[in-house]
Amino acid sequence: MSEPNDWLRPEIAALAPYQVADARGLIKLDAMENPHAFPEHLLDRWLESLRAVELNRYPAADAPELKAALRRVNGLGHDVGILLGNGSDEILQMLMLALAKPGACVLTPEPGFAMFRLISRATGLGYHPVPLGPDFQLDLNAMLAAIEVQQPALVLIAQPNNPTGNAFDTADLRAVVKAAPGLVVIDEAYYPFAEQHCLDWLGEYDNLLVMRTLSKLGLASLRLGWLMGPKRWLDALEPLRLPYNINGLTQASASFALSHYDDFMAQAAMIREQRARMADALAAMPGVEVFPSQANFLLVRFDGVDPADVHAALKEAGILVKNLSAAHPDLSGCLRLTVGTAAENASLISALRDILQG
Ligand SMILES: *Cc1c(COP(=O)(O)O)cnc(C)c1O
């Protein structure tokens, strides 16, 4: 019998697959999806646009229409290059494969995005987490010291951060970009919900790349992420993109959606408004601490009650959220609540009141 572990790279053998909870029949507030359906008034025109997709042919290899649409909505100049990924996860994988020289490492603040660790392990890169400071802000001195010692090939920072939800101080981010000897990727997955972004820094630094995705904007099922930055970097990474990685249905659907970008940003605005209401309602509950968020979720800490019990009781009440209390020492007592529709959030708040009073 062939034993997988005799042949697998040891770092692969040590990996566990990314776990996705079964959400059937539950109000789904665990994965930062946009709770709103595709805009009703666009549905027929979107479906009509799919008629033109020839499923017997390979899709456009370079996705020129889609890239043009991304250039338009992001306001990109022609000196900025774009790399497309099947979700930003795939972009992270391409980046890390490209940089995984022997001894090379990724440096990133923690608590942070779980995929940063998983993909760096899978690609054989070293992984150096740097603990966040007070208020989940960057500990700038610790970051700069670690950069100095580790000389990371790649610094990864999600802005706003997942799972903490806050945005980092932009002066700190600039200091990190300046100090980093290699690439810095700022992951702006939550840009539709944030008050600031770093896209207009692109002309200023030759080692900065900004990554975005459609996943949090109501189009998670399409799996489309894109990386922006200096052309020479994007050209160097392009050979790692497998041919046709963006399928024809995604190219057509994303191009269509981006030509109606305002409708999706309007959904994001509703989510931001709901986030504020939800934060107020949660903050009014005794024993609940709500952390400031510029994303489409709220991190909350429970005092005097086991978050695993709250998580289980919410599930019993038909609501799925994410228990992060064991994910990182700084997250003990914490659940992450994705902002849903007004009705979903009302169900969550009322269920939580019952649970905490019970
Ligand atoms: C949700 C999320 C993404 C999205 O990944 P996709 O593969 O594009 O769906 C990327 N980065 C962070 C930090 C996220 O939280």
Side-chain angles (χ1 to χ4, degrees):
M1 267 254 285
S2 70
E3 272 304 324
N5 284 356
D6 292 344
W7 296 95
L8 288 172
R9 285 190 283 127
E11 60 270 30
I12 302 294
L15 289 178
Y18 185 76
Q19 296 292 339
V20 176
D22 184 358
R24 275 173 298 181
L26 301 174
I27 295 178
K28 200 167 181 310
L29 301 178
D30 65 324
M32 284 80 86
E33 291 144 330
N34 174 337
H36 303 288
F38 201 86
E40 180 78 35
H41 67 284
L42 298 176
L43 210 46
D44 287 342
R45 275 183 284 164
W46 165 53
L47 291 171
E48 193 56 37
S49 80
L50 295 183
R51 282 181 188 278
V53 179
E54 297 178 295
L55 287 183
N56 58 319
R57 304 290 178 195
Y58 284 108
D62 197 36
E65 279 178 40
L66 174 54
K67 277 185 158 178
L70 288 170
R71 284 191 177 283
R72 196 180 60 243
V73 301
N74 290 284
L76 301 182
H78 277 277
D79 50 335
V80 175
I82 300 184
L83 177 73
L84 299 178
N86 195 321
S88 29
D89 292 346
E90 193 190 43
I91 291 176
L92 293 169
Q93 190 181 49
M94 287 187 256
L95 268 169
M96 293 197 221
L97 276 173
L99 298 172
K101 286 192 206 174
C105 78
V106 166
L107 190 145
T108 189
E110 270 196 2
F113 186 35
M115 296 308 293
F116 294 168
R117 178 191 283 267
L118 188 77
I119 300 173
S120 57
R121 291 272 186 255
T123 54
L125 277 165
Y127 179 82
H128 281 279
V130 178
L132 290 174
D135 299 329
F136 294 134
Q137 280 295 320
L138 291 181
D139 181 342
L140 185 59
N141 287 334
M143 286 292 285
L144 296 179
I147 287 170
E148 176 75 25
V149 173
Q150 303 297 341
Q151 295 289 301
L154 177 61
V155 176
L156 285 171
I157 300 183
Q159 168 79 338
N161 191 35
N162 172 18
T164 58
N166 62 301
F168 297 123
D169 182 279
T170 51
D172 288 354
L173 284 183
R174 281 186 184 274
V176 166
V177 177
K178 269 198 197 124
L183 268 185
V184 178
V185 171
I186 296 187
D187 177 353
E188 293 191 337
Y190 297 98
Y191 78 93
F193 316 100
E195 281 156 26
Q196 76 290 300
H197 62 78
C198 300
L199 211 49
D200 44 11
W201 299 2
L202 283 183
E204 297 177 48
Y205 305 100
D206 63 9
N207 64 334
L208 173 67
L209 302 174
V210 175
M211 186 168 72
R212 291 186 173 184
T213 174
L214 292 183
S215 293
K216 310 289 151 57
L217 199 58
L219 300 163
S221 188
L222 293 182
R223 307 301 298 128
L224 183 77
W226 64 102
L227 184 68
M228 299 164 281
K231 263 213 156 68
R232 48 191 196 92
W233 265 114
L234 281 294
D235 289 347
L237 293 166
E238 183 67 17
L240 273 163
R241 192 174 66 86
L242 292 177
Y244 317 117
N245 67 326
I246 311 301
N247 75 70
L249 295 170
T250 290
Q251 289 190 33
S253 301
S255 300
F256 178 85
L258 291 168
S259 65
H260 299 278
Y261 192 61
D262 292 349
D263 291 272
F264 292 89
M265 288 306 270
Q267 291 187 342
M270 290 198 286
I271 293 167
R272 290 199 304 268
E273 194 195 310
Q274 281 299 317
R275 176 182 70 199
R277 287 167 185 264
M278 198 163 138
D280 288 347
L282 289 162
M285 296 181 193
V288 178
E289 181 183 6
V290 188
F291 294 94
S293 172
Q294 292 199 27
N296 61 346
F297 61 86
L298 292 166
L299 183 73
V300 295
R301 174 170 282 142
F302 294 88
D303 188 25
V305 43
D306 186 342
D309 293 342
V310 179
H311 180 267
L314 281 172
K315 201 165 175 185
E316 201 58 38
I319 303 167
L320 184 64
V321 300
K322 181 82 175 176
N323 180 6
L324 291 170
S325 54
H328 190 279
D330 293 349
L331 300 175
S332 70
C334 289
L335 299 182
R336 187 184 62 199
L337 316 173
T338 301
V339 179
T341 61
E344 289 172 336
N345 301 336
S347 301
L348 173 72
I349 295 298
S350 120
L352 263 180
R353 278 199 191 109
D354 291 347
I355 292 163
L356 295 177
Q357 274 162 16

